[in-house]
Amino acid sequence: MPYGYNGKLLYVDLTARKVRSRSLDVKTDRMFLGGSGLGAKLLYDGLTTDVKPFDPENILAFLPGLLVGTSAPGSNRTAVCALSPATGIWGEARVGGGWGHELKYAGWDGLVITGQASSPVYIWID
């Protein structure tokens, strides 16, 4: 994939304990740039209007910015997107550090988590 993308997202369903990969298309990448843009697209397409913030159907997406993994100044930001428990609508936080770089170096453009685990779990990306 050109222009800063690897071309795939990692989806984890905690309820079903399933992991799958979903390809990104170039058109979507160009229309919804970076972590925030892609997060907005994923939530808009993936949620219905009756989903509440704490429902297992809610999406929690960790999406590194377009330039994460490059030497561009300030390029270490990752967007964390979901329905906000505070407002019930779009919620976004930003984190820095090396996590986004490592996710991109592992070949993923983002991590999308859905579902609810029946017991404590962790996600290991190697």
Side-chain angles (χ1 to χ4, degrees):
M1 285 288 289
Y3 312 111
Y5 288 104
N6 290 310
K8 58 186 181 174
L9 294 171
L10 179 62
Y11 279 77
V12 176
D13 182 342
L14 296 176
T15 303
R17 293 186 177 244
K18 300 280 184 189
V19 177
R20 64 185 165 96
S21 173
R22 181 176 289 172
S23 297
L24 288 173
D25 61 271
V26 175
K27 182 179 177 185
T28 299
D29 292 340
R30 289 187 181 180
M31 289 182 66
F32 302 95
L33 293 175
S36 298
L38 190 54
K41 171 77 170 151
L42 292 172
L43 266 67
Y44 182 80
D45 289 348
L47 297 178
T48 60
T49 56
D50 60 340
V51 172
K52 304 291 184 238
F54 290 114
D55 289 348
E57 296 81 21
N58 191 10
I59 292 171
L60 178 61
F62 296 83
L63 303 160
L66 182 62
L67 298 176
V68 167
T70 70
S71 60
S75 64
N76 68 335
R77 308 306 288 171
T78 297
V80 182
C81 307
L83 289 180
S84 170
T87 63
I89 58 174
W90 172 261
E92 179 182 338
R94 300 243 177 211
V95 297
W99 191 88
H101 294 99
E102 294 298 325
L103 186 66
K104 283 237 180 172
Y105 294 155
W108 303 102
D109 291 316
L111 170 63
V112 181
I113 302 171
T114 59
Q116 181 177 354
S118 59
S119 60
V121 298
Y122 64 90
I123 298 168
W124 182 282
I125 302 170
D126 186 24

